[in-house]
Amino acid sequence: TQLLEQSPQFLSIQEGENLTVYCNSSSVFSSLQWYRQEPGEGPVLLVTVVTGGEVKKLKRLTFQFGDARKDSSLHITAAQPGDTGLYLCAVPPRASSGSARQLTFGSGTQLTVLP
Amino acid sequence: DVKVTQSSRYLVKRTGEKVFLECVQDMDHENMFWYRQDPGLGLRLIYFSYDVKMKEKGDIPEGYSVSREKKERFSLILESASTNQTSMYLCASRWPGVGAFFGQGTRLTVV
């Protein structure tokens, strides 16, 4: 069972549409990060959410951390072709895990915004 | 501007060759990581290092080794490259508790 489940796995929409992608788990996390990876490049950190219920905005992107800190969503308003990419969520290890340093990544949502 | 630089964007190697992937960061981060990324499998951690000369195995260390002689440099070594090691390799660095900065990736093809 994956620690982080991202949905949908693939999403193709027209320019100007709105969309939401999700990152879910049965575990509680101290924080959660969202990254975007463009084709042929490494992931780039977009945001870190820390507090349950927290909402952060980055231009047309809205990130929310669930009240119970088990899940998160990313909403994009009026999507543009430049938003195309793989969206990854990541969490730090739980206190009980063996290593305190590595991040665990979801498998991502591949978003394509068509002009 | 923070930077993680991987030595090659594309590499083609033959089966059995010893392959070195180099990664340098300029942020004085303690922690550095090597991941591989394959379609449908996401990012899988190969090895990470939390200090000079210190390393820990990740989820898929078999067939790989690492070297960290200086804080800014973390090398991934494929001792004897095999075709199932064809993949995108990503290096990252971070301070504990903050997000990771990734290099641009190395697409390795083993023929």
Side-chain angles (χ1 to χ4, degrees), chain B residues 1-4 26-27 101:
Chain B
D1 207 17
V2 297
K3 208 161 185 181
V4 178
D26 64 0
M27 296 164 282
F101 293 88

Short mmCIF file of all heavy atoms in Angstrom, two decimals, chain B residues 1-4 26-27 101:
data_model
loop_
_atom_site.label_atom_id
_atom_site.label_comp_id
_atom_site.label_asym_id
_atom_site.label_seq_id
_atom_site.Cartn_x
_atom_site.Cartn_y
_atom_site.Cartn_z
N ASP B 1 20.42 32.67 -6.09
CA ASP B 1 19.49 31.63 -6.52
C ASP B 1 20.09 30.26 -6.19
O ASP B 1 21.21 29.98 -6.55
CB ASP B 1 19.26 31.76 -8.03
CG ASP B 1 17.91 31.22 -8.43
OD1 ASP B 1 17.07 31.04 -7.53
OD2 ASP B 1 17.70 30.97 -9.63
N VAL B 2 19.32 29.45 -5.49
CA VAL B 2 19.83 28.15 -5.07
C VAL B 2 20.02 27.25 -6.27
O VAL B 2 19.30 27.35 -7.27
CB VAL B 2 18.88 27.50 -4.06
CG1 VAL B 2 18.78 28.35 -2.80
CG2 VAL B 2 17.52 27.27 -4.65
N LYS B 3 20.97 26.32 -6.14
CA LYS B 3 21.25 25.51 -7.30
C LYS B 3 21.73 24.11 -6.93
O LYS B 3 22.58 23.93 -6.05
CB LYS B 3 22.31 26.18 -8.15
CG LYS B 3 22.22 25.84 -9.61
CD LYS B 3 22.96 26.86 -10.44
CE LYS B 3 22.74 26.56 -11.92
NZ LYS B 3 23.44 27.48 -12.79
N VAL B 4 21.15 23.14 -7.61
CA VAL B 4 21.64 21.77 -7.58
C VAL B 4 21.96 21.41 -9.02
O VAL B 4 21.08 21.49 -9.89
CB VAL B 4 20.59 20.80 -7.00
CG1 VAL B 4 21.12 19.37 -7.02
CG2 VAL B 4 20.22 21.20 -5.58
N ASP B 26 24.96 24.22 -3.96
CA ASP B 26 25.66 25.40 -3.45
C ASP B 26 24.95 26.03 -2.26
O ASP B 26 25.12 27.21 -1.97
CB ASP B 26 25.84 26.43 -4.58
CG ASP B 26 24.51 26.97 -5.10
OD1 ASP B 26 23.44 26.55 -4.60
OD2 ASP B 26 24.54 27.80 -6.03
N MET B 27 24.13 25.24 -1.54
CA MET B 27 23.30 25.78 -0.47
C MET B 27 23.78 25.36 0.91
O MET B 27 23.10 25.60 1.90
CB MET B 27 21.85 25.33 -0.68
CG MET B 27 21.26 25.90 -1.95
SD MET B 27 19.78 25.02 -2.44
CE MET B 27 20.47 23.56 -3.18
N PHE B 101 15.43 20.69 -2.99
CA PHE B 101 15.80 21.30 -4.27
C PHE B 101 16.40 20.21 -5.14
O PHE B 101 17.32 19.50 -4.71
CB PHE B 101 16.80 22.43 -4.05
CG PHE B 101 16.21 23.59 -3.31
CD1 PHE B 101 16.20 23.63 -1.93
CD2 PHE B 101 15.64 24.65 -4.01
CE1 PHE B 101 15.64 24.70 -1.25
CE2 PHE B 101 15.09 25.73 -3.34
CZ PHE B 101 15.08 25.76 -1.96
#
